[in-house]
């Protein structure tokens, strides 16, 4: 009996290593899943074979966590030949009935890209039968890492925030844009505290317990603050005239302080630059000097 278990263990080990290595390859549906799973009341729906969903339960960007909810359309060979729009429509309805989310995001895969399904049409038809928003990732390879992550964010922006959206701006407010896998709660808490002391209201922290309503509220801010510029933030600037301030930049990879500003002086510089964009530099100078004194005591 022990020998059987030992033999099985030896046989399983190389297979598990291969599977895990494949899951750690950041394909576009892995980046897409990371974005969708950062929205608390959203569910991803993978439009592809069962293997695409099963393999991606292993998070390529955080191997100690799993994507526990990855429903899929379970494409078969016949679907690849004849198309799978009806299967997608049915899967959207079933996903809603099972999970009751506020948002379903359809994530295409390589097989669904190859057969050229009219995903937009299937989504429009399915939306008549469900009580939630349904967004589909276009599957386009939008420049930026991780692959697939920016595709989803741009799709959310395009399909949920149209140009004619009525917006009531919150004067002097900002959005803090974070990366889903960064453990930034403590950092965000301190940043919010300092910004509010300067007189800058934080509209939304995206991603931080983010919901569908938070996405609708993003255009209310006057400035987006991010670590590294993203394509969807550039779209927000063009559509809603919301500029963004990036605390980091990869334009000059040899400048360590530009890539990752750290230390007291660089932190002070970031807050002063943000305040200047919102016309609050004088107040910010007093707050920054006070914080410096407190840190040195």
């Amino acid at each position: 009996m022990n020998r059987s278990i030992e033999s099985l263990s030896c046989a399983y080990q190389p297979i598990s290593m291969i599977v895990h290595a494949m899951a750690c390859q950041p394909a576009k549906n892995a980046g897409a899943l990371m974005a969708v799973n950062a929205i608390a009341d959203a569910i991803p729906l993978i439009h592809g074979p069962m293997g695409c969903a099963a393999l991606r339960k292993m998070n390529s960007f955080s191997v100690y966590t799993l994507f526990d909810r990855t429903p899929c359309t379970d494409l078969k060979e016949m679907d690849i030949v004849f198309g799978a729009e009806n299967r997608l429509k049915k899967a959207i309805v079933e996903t809603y009935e099972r999970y009751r989310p506020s948002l379903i995001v359809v994530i295409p895969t390589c097989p669904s890209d190859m057969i050229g399904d009219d995903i937009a049409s299937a989504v429009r038809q399915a939306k008549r039968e469900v009580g939630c928003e349904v967004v589909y990732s276009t599957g386009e390879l939008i420049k930026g890492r991780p692959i697939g992550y920016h595709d989803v964010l741009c799709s959310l922006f395009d399909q949920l925030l149209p140009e004619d959206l009525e917006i009531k701006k919150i004067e002097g407010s900002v959005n803090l844009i974070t990366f889903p896998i960064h453990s930034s709660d403590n950092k965000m808490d301190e940043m919010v505290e300092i910004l509010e002391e300067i007189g800058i209201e934080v509209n939304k922290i995206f991603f931080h317990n983010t919901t569908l309503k938070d996405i609708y509220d993003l255009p209310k801010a006057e400035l987006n603050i991010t670590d590294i510029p993203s394509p969807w933030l550039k779209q927000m600037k063009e559509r809603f005239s919301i500029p963004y301030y990036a605390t980091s930049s990869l334009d000059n990879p040899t400048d360590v302080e530009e890539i990752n500003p750290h230390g007291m002086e660089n932190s002070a510089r970031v807050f002063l630059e943000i305040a200047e964009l919102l016309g609050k530099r004088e107040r910010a100078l007093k707050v920054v000097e006070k914080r410096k004194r407190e840190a040195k005591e």
Side-chain angles (χ1 to χ4, degrees), residues 82-142:
F82 295 105
E85 292 170 22
N86 288 333
R87 183 181 282 269
L88 173 58
K89 176 187 171 184
K90 181 181 177 182
I92 292 171
V93 175
E94 290 177 349
T95 299
Y96 174 73
E97 290 176 347
R98 178 174 181 180
Y99 296 102
R100 297 288 172 173
S102 298
L103 171 67
I104 296 173
V105 181
V106 177
I107 299 173
T109 58
C110 296
S112 62
D113 285 344
M114 287 190 296
I115 61 180
D117 276 342
D118 188 349
I119 295 178
S121 175
V123 166
R124 283 195 300 270
Q125 294 177 48
K127 285 179 74 171
R128 303 188 190 112
E129 301 181 32
V130 298
C132 71
E133 287 283 2
V134 184
V135 169
Y136 61 95
S137 174
T138 61
E140 295 178 6
L141 187 58
I142 296 175

Side-chain angles (χ1 to χ4, degrees), residues 8-219:
L8 180 61
S9 175
C10 292
Y12 174 74
Q13 187 175 4
I15 296 173
S16 64
M17 290 174 65
I18 292 171
V19 170
H20 190 269
M22 290 171 63
C24 286
Q25 298 299 317
K28 70 175 184 178
N29 53 358
L33 274 171
M34 181 178 65
V36 179
N37 275 272
I39 303 170
D41 52 355
I43 287 288
L45 173 59
I46 297 177
H47 187 34
M50 181 67 74
C52 293
L55 183 62
R56 286 304 164 197
K57 282 187 176 293
M58 285 183 272
N59 186 343
S60 303
F61 306 96
S62 180
V63 294
Y64 49 84
T65 60
L66 296 176
F67 294 138
D68 57 337
R69 298 183 297 181
T70 54
C72 80
T73 51
D74 190 19
L75 297 188
K76 308 294 186 184
E77 290 183 4
M78 295 295 286
D79 299 313
I80 304 300
V81 176
F82 295 105
E85 292 170 22
N86 288 333
R87 183 181 282 269
L88 173 58
K89 176 187 171 184
K90 181 181 177 182
I92 292 171
V93 175
E94 290 177 349
T95 299
Y96 174 73
E97 290 176 347
R98 178 174 181 180
Y99 296 102
R100 297 288 172 173
S102 298
L103 171 67
I104 296 173
V105 181
V106 177
I107 299 173
T109 58
C110 296
S112 62
D113 285 344
M114 287 190 296
I115 61 180
D117 276 342
D118 188 349
I119 295 178
S121 175
V123 166
R124 283 195 300 270
Q125 294 177 48
K127 285 179 74 171
R128 303 188 190 112
E129 301 181 32
V130 298
C132 71
E133 287 283 2
V134 184
V135 169
Y136 61 95
S137 174
T138 61
E140 295 178 6
L141 187 58
I142 296 175
K143 185 178 180 181
R145 298 279 181 172
I147 298 171
Y149 172 76
H150 298 290
D151 300 356
V152 166
L153 293 183
C154 287
S155 296
L156 288 171
F157 175 83
D158 282 334
Q159 296 168 47
L160 294 177
L161 303 175
E163 292 183 11
D164 58 354
L165 185 69
E166 292 187 10
I167 303 167
K168 186 177 181 181
K169 288 284 187 180
I170 301 174
E171 186 177 353
S173 66
V174 299
N175 295 320
L176 301 182
I177 312 299
T178 68
F179 201 58
I181 60 173
H182 288 171
S183 298
S184 55
D185 288 1
N186 293 335
K187 181 173 64 177
M188 287 294 106
D189 288 344
E190 186 175 8
M191 190 169 189
V192 170
E193 183 181 327
I194 295 173
L195 288 172
E196 289 180 345
E197 192 173 350
I198 293 171
I200 299 172
E201 181 179 345
V202 175
N203 176 45
K204 295 294 174 183
I205 301 177
F206 187 82
F207 297 91
H208 180 68
N209 299 321
T210 297
T211 64
L212 176 62
K213 183 182 182 303
D214 293 329
I215 297 175
Y216 287 132
D217 289 341
L218 285 174

Side-chain angles (χ1 to χ4, degrees), residues 157 233-242:
F157 175 83
L233 290 177
K234 296 176 182 178
Q235 288 182 322
M236 282 196 75
K237 181 179 180 181
E238 294 171 1
R239 183 172 296 182
F240 298 115
S241 300
I242 304 175

